[in-house]
Amino acid sequence: MNKQHRLAYVAIKEVSQGKRGALTKLLAVIGVSRQAYYKGLKREETAWEARDRQLKEQTQYWFDFHHQGIGAGNLVVNLEHDELITFRVTRKMVRRVMRELGLRCQIRVKKHNRQKASEQYVQDNILNQNFETDAPNKVWLSDSTELSFGPNGEYKIRLSGVL
């Protein structure tokens, strides 16, 4: 049953007490039949709703116990060791309950200042620094380097030497 309907039923019961015709008019305003109203008043809490209520209570307790500085993962650990919780608790359940209760961890995640490493290509040294040749254009050697400059290294220049 919808939480809003449950609250509306309780309000209608209190307002229409001892007044003839008030119940019919109030039920017409919220668009609920008389049968659904009485069925909703006598409705008992299901096992799932009882577990959910208990989970919400304990989640709120542990969240306040840690001064709003605990996230869903650590809440799961605390709830698993809690003696009042007799059922299995998953991270997904805790995240849903935290969202419904409006709970958010007040400690921010540390951000790491990492720079992307540039790839370097190194070829094998086939000549082994033996540059002596008997004729021109037999051996060509080259080397290149990329330099970054400007604010935030936004400009690049490539220097290349050929021997």
Side-chain angles (χ1 to χ4, degrees):
M1 176 194 304
N2 190 320
K3 185 177 182 181
Q4 293 173 334
H5 280 189
R6 211 174 308 127
L7 293 174
Y9 294 161
V10 172
I12 288 172
K13 183 178 181 180
E14 292 175 4
V15 170
S16 67
Q17 212 58 301
K19 297 178 183 157
R20 290 182 58 87
L23 180 65
T24 305
K25 290 181 181 177
L26 289 172
L27 289 174
V29 168
I30 64 167
V32 175
S33 68
R34 188 179 295 262
Q35 180 184 8
Y37 166 71
Y38 283 118
K39 192 173 183 180
L41 280 181
K42 295 178 182 175
R43 185 175 180 277
E44 295 179 5
E45 187 179 51
T46 64
W48 189 90
E49 290 171 335
R51 279 185 18 188
D52 194 48
R53 179 183 42 78
Q54 189 178 20
L55 181 63
K56 285 181 181 179
E57 290 171 0
Q58 290 305 110
T59 300
Q60 185 70 52
Y61 167 76
W62 284 111
F63 190 74
D64 292 338
F65 182 79
H66 288 282
H67 307 291
Q68 292 81 32
I70 188 170
N74 289 331
L75 271 172
V76 170
V77 173
N78 284 330
L79 290 169
E80 285 175 348
H81 297 300
D82 196 340
E83 297 167 356
L84 297 175
I85 303 291
T86 57
F87 50 92
R88 187 169 163 263
V89 179
T90 63
R91 186 181 184 122
K92 189 175 180 180
M93 291 168 66
V94 172
R95 290 183 69 203
R96 176 185 54 82
V97 166
M98 286 180 71
R99 186 174 51 250
E100 289 174 3
L101 295 175
L103 305 178
R104 286 185 58 115
C105 182
Q106 298 297 321
I107 297 174
R108 70 173 180 83
V109 177
K110 290 183 180 178
K111 294 185 170 74
H112 300 285
N113 187 12
R114 294 192 178 115
Q115 295 179 353
K116 184 179 177 183
S118 60
E119 296 182 20
Q120 295 183 357
Y121 300 102
V122 178
Q123 296 290 335
D124 293 334
N125 188 1
I126 298 172
L127 294 175
N128 199 18
Q129 296 183 356
N130 183 11
F131 302 116
E132 298 176 15
T133 60
D134 54 355
N137 292 333
K138 286 258 185 166
V139 178
W140 285 65
L141 301 172
S142 69
D143 188 19
S144 65
T145 303
E146 187 175 86
L147 300 173
S148 300
F149 66 96
N152 299 326
E154 58 191 47
Y155 301 108
K156 293 182 181 178
I157 188 169
R158 183 171 288 264
L159 301 173
S160 182
V162 179
L163 176 67

